[in-house]
């Protein structure tokens, strides 16, 4: 049995965040088009994440490197995944 693929894209979000909803829609579309695994992490589920990201959500990481916050640029994300 093979281990599940580690997601290349991580989107840090929180509940009741309209920017997070917008970012999620972009990530879903771009990752689906690229065939890339992604996951979403609620920063309020861990105090360390809440302290780290605070009001900067959503935060986008690709391959473990933070690529931006607040807004996700779909074209840029697609280039990073190419």
């Amino acid at each position: 049995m093979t281990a599940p693929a580690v997601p290349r894209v991580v989107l840090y979000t929180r509940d009741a965040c309209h920017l997070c909803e917008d970012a999620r829609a972009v990530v879903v579309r771009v990752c689906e088009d690229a065939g890339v695994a992604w996951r979403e992490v609620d920063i309020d589920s861990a105090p360390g994440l809440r302290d780290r990201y605070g009001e900067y959500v959503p935060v986008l990481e690709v391959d473990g490197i933070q690529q931006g916050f607040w807004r996700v640029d779909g074209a840029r994300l697609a280039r990073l995944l190419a």
Side-chain angles (χ1 to χ4, degrees):
M1 179 177 217
T2 58
V6 175
R8 290 187 61 197
V9 176
V10 179
L11 182 64
Y12 294 94
T13 63
R14 68 172 7 130
D15 284 337
C17 166
H18 72 281
L19 292 176
C20 297
E21 294 170 13
D22 295 345
R24 182 182 307 110
V26 172
V27 169
V28 165
R29 178 181 49 80
V30 173
C31 287
E32 190 173 278
D33 289 349
V36 171
W38 74 282
R39 71 182 170 112
E40 184 171 346
V41 177
D42 181 351
I43 68 163
D44 293 322
S45 67
L49 292 176
R50 188 173 44 244
D51 293 343
R52 181 176 180 183
Y53 295 119
E55 297 301 316
Y56 287 96
V57 291
V59 175
L60 179 70
E61 279 187 5
V62 177
D63 297 326
I65 300 169
Q66 183 175 327
Q67 296 295 333
F69 57 93
W70 291 334
R71 303 253 185 231
V72 175
D73 180 331
R76 182 169 184 256
L77 177 56
R79 283 192 305 274
L80 290 167
L81 297 177

